[in-house]
Amino acid sequence: MGITRRISNRKNKISANKPLLLLLKFAALTVLFLLSVSVFGTNKTNDYKVGANIPRLATGTDIAAKIPDGTVIWNLGQHDGSAAEFAASGTSGSKKVFNVTTGALKSSALQSLPAGLNGKTQPELKITYQLNKIPENGVLFSVGILDAYKSVPQMSVFSNHQLSGIIQIAGVAGTESEYSFQKTYELYIPKEQLKIGTNELKLQTVRCLYCSDKEDEYSWWTWDNLRLESLNAPISEPIHGSYTLTGTVVNNKQFYFDEGAVTHLPYVIKWLGMAYSGNVMRTSCASDVGRSCSNMMEYYKVLQDYNMQAVALYLHTGDIKLKADGSLPADAEKKLTDYFEQYSPYFQYYEVDNEPGLFNRSKAVNLAIADWLNKKGKQIAPHLQTVAPGWAYWPSYSEDSCGNQKGTGKACGDPDGWERDSEQRMELEKVTDLTNGHSYGDSYIFSNGGSFTENMKTFAGADNGLSKKMLTTEFGTSDSHVDAYQYGATERTAAVFDRIMRAHIGYADMFVQHAAFFKDFSLFKYGFNLEENDPATTEIYYTKENEDSRVSIMRRLSLAYATHGAPLTYQVANKDVLADKLVYVRAVDTSTLKPLAGSGATSNKVLVNFVNFESTPQTVSVNVTMPNNGVYEGERFGNGDTYEKARSYVTGKKATPTLTFTETCSRRGCAVYFAAFL
């Protein structure tokens, strides 16, 4: 059972003016930096079960990893919603090195273990323990988080000085939320990072890549318990905190899924590192915009070819007049029926509406659409999962005005302000499969109107992630967003995008960046007709000179957290050089992923990712055991401001089945190979 956690991010529209914001709605795209290569050739105790009572992806769309049972090596603390058994972190009674002598420790021994980490007072904890033999299937580390600051603190995990992963921790402390966000995060540690005898697991706070020591006091969390267990069977996914999927929107001139969008789509998803792993794109061609859906079938087939999912949004809801019984009128039903009969084999999710309060939409209409989806949409597409509206959490007109006004009355939704009311939102949540919530900048943690904080209100807190899986259909930053000054970032426009994406990794299941080509929110340079552009010349858009781009940030995080499949065995050849360095290797076989619901899409690619979280260039040499003996060839994506400069084709890589990769990752850079067995 993979831990697929959810939380919601909210969209704060603090950029530009409202008229512009009203234009920015039907777009979403993800930015990642990657390399691609093609290839030829004793059980868990009853008192604590990792992932207990956590919502999973629904039947038919459950592509999340299943974690096999394990044998407890050690468990520190009780998973009981309290940190009372521990010492306050940073105090004189709190140890910095903790030696585990037995799997079950007495409560008195735990009184010297810190209750969490704090970047200013206790940034590190080393746990030493003994292994008489190396677990054949590796181990699973899990940490139950009770509370964390809203800054999205990061916890690096080193096993014997090799980086196993960096856990992105979501929290609402500092938001005035009446609820705390509790969640258990899991991390796979391969056997190659273990040894017979004394082992060391080192936990550390990690600053954002752009931040100074000013962030340290805001980087803290409290844990419920810490646990390590040997896996009884091979794991199907190198779980990295949570199982997350990401994506974006690739369309032309904001609305059109035309030939230009189709030709650019594979270039974007490969460059960003999203292809082949079951990630999610928003397909929002609009029923009220002519030619918006002109090449929708070709677009969906490209997603199928690259093993990508889709969340569809089609029906324009602004002019719908319901029947007397509250159901959709015949013309609206026909539009949905025609769309579903033509395209539903290719999309897995359907979104009820887009920001209904901001666009002055009716709650009754939204409920009628959800009813049609459940009763008729799922008859046409039994695999379908429905998604709540893309909440903007807009208040009443008197509190904050909105557009799309008709007649003399002024309202933001019908009833006015209903989207801000958690009880009224719950009416839609009860009849949909996944929740939603848009967010921009740092709006997700706003006390009122934040997607994270508002969803905490809707679901009355979170005992182990939100009680409902979350698909965020819009997140991102505008060119005017900057990171909070308290964190001391030198590249504030880069830091705010990095932070919002990491937040979604911490609390959401799936999340779609606003758009690949879109003024002020873009990943790539925009302002031209995609139908007249060579997609190989697609170029990175830099929000600000001498700062990281959204593309490099999205690539880095996508490669580390949103590439999926069975883990491949690897050995770091220069591990002494990389000791205690934040350099992450992720090698997966996507052919082991389940076929996607509806489309039946699969992949035969091997992905080998190198991600540098250090601020200086790092060279990594890795011997990867490929699935087969033979010659591998494929695509590699590295540095470069255009697709054609970032991409190269690699041939003649002979696996025995070991294949050696040596990469120098630039400052904050990363590389990815896509490999397929010929």
Side-chain angles (χ1 to χ4, degrees):
M1 302 182 299
I3 287 196
T4 310
R5 297 297 192 293
R6 52 214 101 265
I7 295 179
S8 80
N9 246 4
R10 88 141 287 202
K11 161 194 260 181
N12 214 9
K13 320 239 175 173
I14 61 177
S15 71
N17 52 38
K18 272 178 207 157
L20 173 61
L21 292 173
L22 297 176
L23 295 175
L24 300 176
K25 297 300 76 194
F26 283 97
L29 181 134
T30 303
V31 178
L32 291 182
F33 186 50
L34 63 110
L35 299 163
S36 85
V37 176
S38 304
V39 185
F40 290 24
T42 319
N43 295 334
K44 293 181 179 178
T45 55
N46 291 328
D47 65 317
Y48 176 77
K49 294 183 179 179
V50 175
N53 301 317
I54 298 172
R56 306 296 180 186
L57 288 166
T59 301
T61 60
D62 189 357
I63 61 171
K66 291 187 176 181
I67 305 299
D69 286 341
T71 301
V72 175
I73 298 174
W74 46 257
N75 185 51
L76 306 178
Q78 293 297 313
H79 191 68
D80 57 2
S82 171
E85 63 265 48
F86 304 124
S89 62
T91 61
S92 58
S94 173
K95 288 185 176 180
K96 296 181 179 179
V97 179
F98 191 86
N99 183 33
V100 179
T101 56
T102 180
L105 298 179
K106 295 181 178 180
S107 58
S108 58
L110 296 176
Q111 292 174 2
S112 62
L113 188 72
L117 294 183
N118 183 304
K120 189 172 183 178
T121 61
Q122 182 154 8
E124 180 179 289
L125 173 67
K126 294 179 181 178
I127 301 172
T128 59
Y129 63 98
Q130 300 293 316
L131 286 178
N132 295 324
K133 63 178 181 178
I134 296 176
E136 180 63 27
N137 301 304
V139 298
L140 185 74
F141 170 69
S142 57
V143 53
I145 298 295
L146 293 174
D147 195 17
Y149 195 67
K150 64 182 180 182
S151 59
V152 197
Q154 305 179 86
M155 180 171 70
S156 62
V157 180
F158 290 90
S159 179
N160 297 317
H161 305 286
Q162 293 187 69
L163 181 67
S164 303
I166 303 175
I167 296 175
Q168 305 296 333
I169 300 174
V172 292
T175 68
E176 300 179 1
S177 172
E178 62 179 297
Y179 303 102
S180 64
F181 181 76
Q182 300 179 22
K183 180 176 177 178
T184 295
Y185 296 94
E186 295 174 323
L187 179 67
Y188 170 66
I189 301 175
K191 66 178 181 180
E192 290 73 25
Q193 294 185 356
L194 305 171
K195 61 183 180 179
I196 294 175
T198 301
N199 286 257
E200 178 188 272
L201 192 73
K202 181 169 64 177
L203 312 178
Q204 289 182 319
T205 60
V206 178
R207 295 172 189 158
C208 98
L209 270 170
Y210 318 96
C211 296
S212 71
D213 57 4
K214 290 182 179 180
E215 189 188 35
D216 291 348
E217 66 178 294
Y218 303 103
S219 182
W220 63 262
W221 58 87
T222 302
W223 49 51
D224 193 352
N225 76 317
L226 303 164
R227 184 181 182 91
L228 191 73
E229 49 194 315
S230 62
L231 295 169
N232 294 344
I235 199 168
S236 61
E237 158 79 16
I239 193 75
H240 193 181
S242 305
Y243 193 99
T244 55
L245 301 171
T246 191
T248 186
V249 171
V250 178
N251 54 10
N252 194 12
K253 296 182 177 179
Q254 302 182 15
F255 298 106
Y256 301 101
F257 291 80
D258 55 16
E259 183 179 357
V262 172
T263 58
H264 283 72
L265 178 58
Y267 290 76
V268 168
I269 60 178
K270 288 194 294 181
W271 193 2
L272 293 177
M274 298 183 296
Y276 308 116
S277 291
N279 283 298
V280 183
M281 301 289 282
R282 195 186 195 196
T283 51
S284 50
C285 77
S287 64
D288 64 326
V289 178
R291 293 190 64 251
S292 180
C293 306
S294 62
N295 292 71
M296 203 69 245
M297 181 60 78
E298 294 92 334
Y299 193 98
Y300 275 129
K301 287 185 176 180
V302 170
L303 292 181
Q304 181 186 39
D305 289 343
Y306 287 90
N307 196 35
M308 298 282 288
Q309 298 189 92
V311 51
L313 175 63
Y314 172 67
L315 183 64
H316 175 66
T317 61
D319 55 359
I320 293 176
K321 305 297 182 185
L322 298 178
K323 295 179 182 178
D325 63 359
S327 63
L328 291 175
D331 61 335
E333 285 202 354
K334 185 178 188 307
K335 289 176 183 178
L336 283 172
T337 299
D338 290 348
Y339 188 89
F340 269 64
E341 289 182 345
Q342 189 170 8
Y343 303 123
S344 64
Y346 299 97
F347 61 83
Q348 290 71 30
Y349 310 96
Y350 189 92
E351 184 179 4
V352 170
D353 202 357
N354 183 68
E355 303 182 348
L358 176 61
F359 287 95
N360 195 18
R361 304 298 195 231
S362 163
K363 179 179 68 174
V365 169
N366 275 213
L367 288 168
I369 293 171
D371 185 63
W372 185 93
L373 292 171
N374 288 325
K375 292 179 178 177
K376 298 183 180 180
K378 290 185 178 181
Q379 287 184 351
I380 301 171
H383 65 276
L384 178 72
Q385 294 287 287
T386 59
V387 186
W391 304 119
Y393 311 96
W394 209 259
S396 64
Y397 188 90
S398 62
E399 186 175 345
D400 197 346
S401 62
C402 59
N404 297 313
Q405 299 301 315
K406 299 177 182 179
T408 58
K410 301 293 185 181
C412 291
D414 181 12
D416 184 23
W418 74 271
E419 194 186 9
R420 178 61 68 87
D421 184 349
S422 61
E423 292 185 3
Q424 294 191 67
R425 290 197 306 271
M426 180 56 80
E427 296 179 47
L428 268 297
E429 298 292 357
K430 288 180 178 178
V431 293
T432 51
D433 298 309
L434 295 87
T435 190
N436 201 339
H438 293 176
S439 59
Y440 290 89
D442 60 355
S443 69
Y444 55 97
I445 42 84
F446 281 16
S447 296
N448 292 304
S451 67
F452 191 5
T453 52
E454 288 289 343
N455 273 4
M456 293 285 282
K457 295 175 186 176
T458 303
F459 301 108
D463 292 334
N464 202 341
L466 290 179
S467 59
K468 188 176 182 181
K469 186 176 53 154
M470 182 175 185
L471 198 172
T472 296
T473 53
E474 288 185 31
F475 85 92
T477 59
S478 74
D479 290 355
S480 63
H481 284 122
V482 293
D483 202 36
Y485 73 90
Q486 291 94 335
Y487 304 141
T490 55
E491 300 178 28
R492 293 180 68 192
T493 58
V496 70
F497 185 82
D498 173 77
R499 198 177 301 277
I500 190 175
M501 187 164 178
R502 291 192 292 105
H504 282 79
I505 292 169
Y507 68 73
D509 299 284
M510 295 171 272
F511 35 94
V512 179
Q513 184 268 347
H514 181 75
F517 303 93
F518 204 101
K519 179 176 170 56
D520 293 332
F521 294 80
S522 201
L523 298 174
F524 301 99
K525 284 191 174 180
Y526 54 89
F528 50 85
N529 186 347
L530 296 184
E531 292 184 307
E532 300 172 356
N533 185 64
D534 178 358
T537 65
T538 299
E539 186 173 354
I540 290 174
Y541 171 69
Y542 284 91
T543 306
K544 186 171 291 187
E545 189 176 356
N546 297 321
E547 290 205 21
D548 261 1
S549 68
R550 295 184 184 116
V551 168
S552 67
I553 295 166
M554 194 163 190
R555 271 199 58 195
R556 178 172 63 239
L557 295 175
S558 296
L559 295 180
Y561 297 94
T563 51
H564 300 293
L568 298 178
T569 298
Y570 68 87
Q571 294 272 7
V572 178
N574 63 335
K575 64 181 181 180
D576 290 341
V577 174
L578 296 177
D580 300 311
K581 295 288 185 66
L582 296 170
V583 178
Y584 182 63
V585 178
R586 187 174 179 87
V588 295
D589 180 1
T590 65
S591 71
T592 64
L593 295 172
K594 294 179 181 179
L596 295 182
S599 69
T602 58
S603 171
N604 66 348
K605 295 293 189 291
V606 168
L607 310 182
V608 182
N609 308 329
F610 305 95
V611 188
N612 181 16
F613 289 98
E614 292 284 342
S615 59
T616 58
Q618 301 292 324
T619 297
V620 56
S621 183
V622 177
N623 298 316
V624 180
T625 302
M626 306 299 275
N628 300 283
N629 290 309
V631 177
Y632 284 75
E633 65 177 24
E635 296 176 286
R636 174 193 180 279
F637 289 84
N639 291 332
D641 282 355
T642 65
Y643 178 91
E644 54 192 350
K645 290 181 179 179
R647 177 195 178 273
S648 58
Y649 202 80
V650 182
T651 61
K653 303 285 284 186
K654 187 175 181 179
T656 59
T658 301
L659 197 57
T660 299
F661 297 85
T662 299
E663 287 288 341
T664 296
C665 293
S666 64
R667 173 180 177 263
R668 306 163 185 159
C670 47
V672 178
Y673 289 88
F674 293 138
F677 190 72
L678 302 186

